[in-house]
Amino acid sequence: MNILFVSCGNADYDGRLRELLKVSRELGEVTCYSYGSESLFPGHHVYGDDVGYIKFIRNVCREAKKCDADVVFVDNRRATIPAMLINWKKKAFLILDCRELYEASQFTELYNKFGCWAEKTCARKADVLICANSFRADYMEKKWKVRRPLVFENIRRLEYDEDKIDDAAALIDPVLGGDEIRIVSTYGCSIDRTNDVLVRNINKIQGNVRLFLVGTSSKEDEETIRGIIKDQGAEDKVVILRQMNQTELKYLLSRSHIGVVNYNRKDLNNEYCASGKIYEFLFEGLPVITTSNPPLKKICEEYGVGESDDEYFNGINRLIESYDKYKACAEAFAESHDVSDSNLELYESLKGELAAL
């Protein structure tokens, strides 16, 4: 079976994309077009970040003519345009992963409204839909009037590239202090993620804590966060770091204590968040502090792996006070869950759907 996989994600940083590709490669021979710095397998064609969206569409549509596809696999909203253009002629079996959940009414920009229309159009044409949690599946089935999507959670585990561990150590070891409780957010200085609230309350957290803000940030957000750090006199308590690759992040988490998983509640995509970050933290044995979005709160309460607190400090203090208990729950979660189990479940479901081809 020949599968044409189209994604506007970057395989260097996109865990869900990497897992979907693993499942797809179990189903058949995959030709993939995505962003990234290096191919993950033969047949994976990557584009650098300097290749804009229009050029990406043009290149993929041109090159995809060479692929005799039985299945077109569409990864997320931005990929629906090139994928539908390709499938317009190929008439292949269409699979769409809706990793996000947006409605056109949430946006004022025409390009975002058009993107929502394209995704919903593709969803109604798709033979199989996939989404990231049961909250989203419920909504799509009811509101979009589509067949209930398969649920593929963003369960993922960070992996080391052995050749890059020394570089990771050289980057991270110099910024680590001695006897400190390390809290990590991988959303950088994002105000939208309410990291401003987290930094503003840093002095209300007990003990010798240091917060590591890892990730790409806008200039405005970083300036705001740096201003709050100065106002709070927290220069020794907050460290701002660039976006990290898998090896670097795994190295940092292996030397940290608490992970931050935070979303706003301004729209459906954030309200019914489908966080892969929470799994990355838990698989490293780190308890989590989360915002009170329903999917995050459910995991914390069901497994005892963390606390939900939109102001952060009370929840973090509870984690610190009973750290051994929360860490044991996080480690138990990691032992009882496996990325391969989630991948296998999706594989079996897709295999059944594709059996008639």
Side-chain angles (χ1 to χ4, degrees), residues 6-7 74-80 96-100 119:
V6 184
S7 174
V74 193
D75 176 32
N76 206 21
R77 181 165 54 121
R78 294 186 74 227
T80 56
L96 170 61
D97 176 47
C98 298
R99 66 169 64 193
E100 297 173 329
E119 181 177 46

Side-chain angles (χ1 to χ4, degrees), residues 164-226:
K164 296 180 180 178
I165 293 178
D166 289 343
D167 291 338
L171 171 71
I172 294 164
D173 284 347
V175 301
L176 302 181
D179 184 20
E180 61 188 14
I181 299 168
R182 300 184 188 113
I183 304 168
V184 179
S185 167
T186 57
Y187 299 123
C189 297
S190 174
I191 303 301
D192 189 58
R193 298 278 190 168
T194 70
N195 272 349
D196 56 325
V197 178
L198 174 59
V199 175
R200 192 171 287 112
N201 288 331
I202 192 70
N203 288 325
K204 298 177 183 178
I205 300 172
Q206 65 188 31
N208 180 23
V209 300
R210 290 183 82 203
L211 170 64
F212 293 81
L213 301 177
V214 180
T216 303
S217 308
S218 71
K219 182 179 178 181
E220 295 78 10
D221 281 3
E222 183 169 340
E223 288 177 349
T224 298
I225 292 295
R226 290 192 183 279

Side-chain angles (χ1 to χ4, degrees), residues 1 27 71 93 128 347-357:
M1 182 179 298
L27 291 167
V71 177
F93 190 93
V128 175
Y347 165 78
E348 294 290 352
S349 296
L350 290 177
K351 184 180 178 182
E353 296 285 352
L354 294 167
L357 290 184

Side-chain angles (χ1 to χ4, degrees), residues 278 282 285-290 296-308 318-319 322-333 337:
I278 193 169
L282 293 176
L286 269 64
V288 291
I289 180 70
T290 78
L296 302 179
K297 190 172 183 180
K298 178 182 178 183
I299 291 176
C300 287
E301 292 179 347
E302 184 172 348
Y303 297 101
V305 295
E307 290 285 337
S308 295
R318 287 193 289 271
L319 291 179
S322 303
Y323 187 76
D324 290 344
K325 180 190 75 172
Y326 287 103
K327 185 168 179 61
C329 288
E331 291 173 343
F333 180 95
H337 290 74

Side-chain angles (χ1 to χ4, degrees), residues 5 36 44 55 57 81 88 97 121-122 150 171 226 234 239 253 301 306 317:
F5 194 109
H44 184 202
K55 188 174 181 180
I57 293 174
I81 300 299
W88 179 55
D97 176 47
T121 299
C122 190
L150 302 176
L171 171 71
R226 290 192 183 279
V239 180
L253 296 188
E301 292 179 347
N317 284 335

